[in-house]
Every structure is written in C-alpha cells, then in structure tokens.
C-alpha cells in the first residue's frame, strides 16, 4: 500500500475578533511514504495557531479511483465528540479451534459498519508451509460477480451456501489446518478492519 499526499489534514481556527489578524500555519504533516499491508500507521499534523483557538481539525482521504476527497476523522475540542466519521468494527470472528477430518466447517465474520456501506469482505488463509496469506473467498455486494471463490489446496468452499460474512468449507483435511483471516472494507474511505484465528483439523489414523 502506498500512502501519499492524498491524505490531508485541515485545520480551522476561531479568531478573537475582526480587529485582529490571526496568522496560523501548518508546521508539518507526517505521513509515511510506504507501509506494509496489515500494519498500523500513525499520521500526525503539527500546527501553530498563534493567538487563536482551534475550532476543528479534519482529516480527508482520496485516491485515483475516488478523486473526490472524503472526511474520515474530525477533532473539535469545544464541540460534541465526533472523533470517527465512519466507525467500523469487527464484532466477532467465529472460527472453530479444532474440527474433525472430513467434516463441514462454518466460518463467520460479524461486523458493525456504523453509517458506512460495505465495499468488500474477504477471507484469507495461510499455514506454516505457506506463510504468505492467500485469498479464497470474496463478497462484494455491489460488484459483478457478487461473490467469488479462489481455489486453494485443502480449502473446499461450498459456493452456494456461502454468503456475505459466512463461509462453509467441506471435506476438511490436513491441508485445511491454518490461520483464517476476515478483512472488511467500506465504501468511500476504504477503511479496513480484520481479525484472524487458527483452526486445526484432527486427522484420525485408522489402526
């Protein structure tokens, strides 16, 4: 992921009267040029208000697909707390810790998007032999197609039963064991949250 000057911080000040001229300046905008996927990123905006008082500080985002900038964070020290314009959270990730070989498994990802709209929900898999995570299911409610399955060894997705945040995996085997991650993105800001859990398939050897 590349983070560029498309992320902008804007500040508004409230002056102390029409007779005074308030000189304000944005001292520095700290946005890393490149970051790794899945990492946490700190953005900071340092400013000098002179003799003025801060009215609001807003963060905006845009990219080549969405050139119209959109606000995603607002700080108003004297206003009602509106810190998160689009507050999304992953409520629960249901992945069984242990399952029997050959059984059907249901994975589910429950989320709260606040006032946002879902852009995509993706499921990823990785194990000790393949540490690089690979996508095996995608749900995009406004996309064509709405849902997609990407074949992986050991991951047999029931296409017809799987929908939204729920995925059914059949004929589990030793290759099905691994880490499962659910990743959710919303429209507009493309804010993303994810969670990951380990599932182990018990392989019973017949004597």
């Amino acid at each position: 992921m590349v983070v560029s000057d498309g992320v902008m911080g804007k500040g508004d000040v409230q002056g102390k009267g029409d007779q005074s001229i308030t000189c304000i300046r944005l001292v520095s905008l700290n946005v890393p040029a490149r970051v790794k996927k899945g990492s946490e990123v700190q953005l900071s905006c340092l400013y000098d208000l002179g003799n003025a008082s801060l009215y609001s500080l807003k963060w905006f985002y845009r990219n080549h697909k969405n050139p119209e900038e959109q606000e995603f964070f607002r700080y108003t020290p004297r206003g009602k707390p509106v810190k998160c314009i689009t507050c999304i959270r992953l409520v629960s990730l249901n992945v069984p810790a242990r399952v029997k070989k050959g059984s059907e498994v249901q994975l589910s990802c429950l989320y709260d998007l606040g006032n946002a709209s879902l852009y995509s929900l993706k499921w990823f898999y990785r194990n000790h032999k393949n540490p690089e995570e690979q996508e095996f299911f995608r749900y995009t409610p406004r996309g064509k197609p709405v849902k997609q399955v990407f074949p992986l060894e050991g991951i047999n997705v029931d296409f017809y039963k799987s929908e939204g945040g729920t995925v059914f995996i059949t004929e589990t085997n030793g290759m099905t064991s691994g880490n499962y991650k659910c990743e959710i993105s919303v429209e507009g800001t493309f804010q993303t949250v994810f969670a990951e859990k380990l599932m182990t398939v018990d392989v019973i050897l017949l004597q």
Side-chain angles (χ1 to χ4, degrees):
M1 179 179 73
V2 178
V3 180
S4 68
D5 290 339
V7 179
M8 295 171 284
K10 293 185 177 181
D12 298 325
V13 297
Q14 188 169 19
K16 295 185 177 180
D18 295 335
Q19 295 180 350
S20 63
I21 298 176
T22 302
C23 296
I24 67 171
R25 64 192 182 99
L26 201 155
V27 178
S28 66
L29 177 64
N30 301 310
V31 177
R34 302 188 74 88
V35 298
K36 291 182 179 180
K37 179 181 178 182
S39 63
E40 180 180 274
V41 178
Q42 178 179 334
L43 314 178
S44 63
C45 183
L46 304 180
Y47 48 85
D48 178 6
L49 302 181
N51 63 346
S53 299
L54 181 68
Y55 174 70
S56 70
L57 187 148
K58 304 174 184 178
W59 282 89
F60 295 81
Y61 169 84
R62 62 182 173 85
N63 61 18
H64 65 284
K65 290 185 178 180
N66 296 278
E68 188 73 21
E69 65 182 29
Q70 300 182 61
E71 183 181 0
F72 67 89
F73 182 87
R74 182 186 303 169
Y75 173 65
T76 50
R78 297 187 182 183
K80 294 181 179 180
V82 185
K83 286 192 174 182
C84 191
I85 303 303
T86 302
C87 297
I88 68 171
R89 63 191 182 98
L90 204 153
V91 179
S92 66
L93 177 64
N94 301 310
V95 175
R98 304 190 76 89
V99 299
K100 291 183 179 180
K101 178 184 177 182
S103 63
E104 179 182 76
V105 178
Q106 177 180 335
L107 313 178
S108 63
C109 187
L110 304 179
Y111 50 87
D112 178 6
L113 302 181
N115 61 349
S117 298
L118 181 67
Y119 174 70
S120 69
L121 187 150
K122 302 176 182 179
W123 282 92
F124 296 86
Y125 166 83
R126 64 181 177 86
N127 60 19
H128 64 285
K129 291 184 178 180
N130 298 285
E132 188 72 22
E133 63 182 25
Q134 300 179 72
E135 184 181 0
F136 65 89
F137 183 82
R138 181 185 302 174
Y139 173 69
T140 49
R142 299 190 184 185
K144 292 182 180 180
V146 173
K147 56 182 179 179
Q148 294 175 269
V149 172
F150 306 96
L152 289 179
E153 185 178 2
I155 311 294
N156 302 302
V157 176
D158 188 323
F159 180 84
Y160 297 101
K161 290 179 67 175
S162 300
E163 191 73 36
T166 303
V167 173
F168 290 87
I169 297 176
T170 63
E171 302 174 3
T172 55
N173 55 58
M175 289 298 296
T176 314
S177 295
N179 288 78
Y180 290 81
K181 185 177 88 171
C182 176
E183 180 184 279
I184 297 167
S185 298
V186 296
E187 292 184 341
T189 63
F190 294 99
Q191 184 182 351
T192 301
V193 293
F194 62 87
E196 182 175 341
K197 282 187 178 180
L198 173 66
M199 182 176 75
T200 301
V201 177
D202 290 324
V203 180
I204 301 175
L205 299 177
L206 298 177
Q207 301 296 328

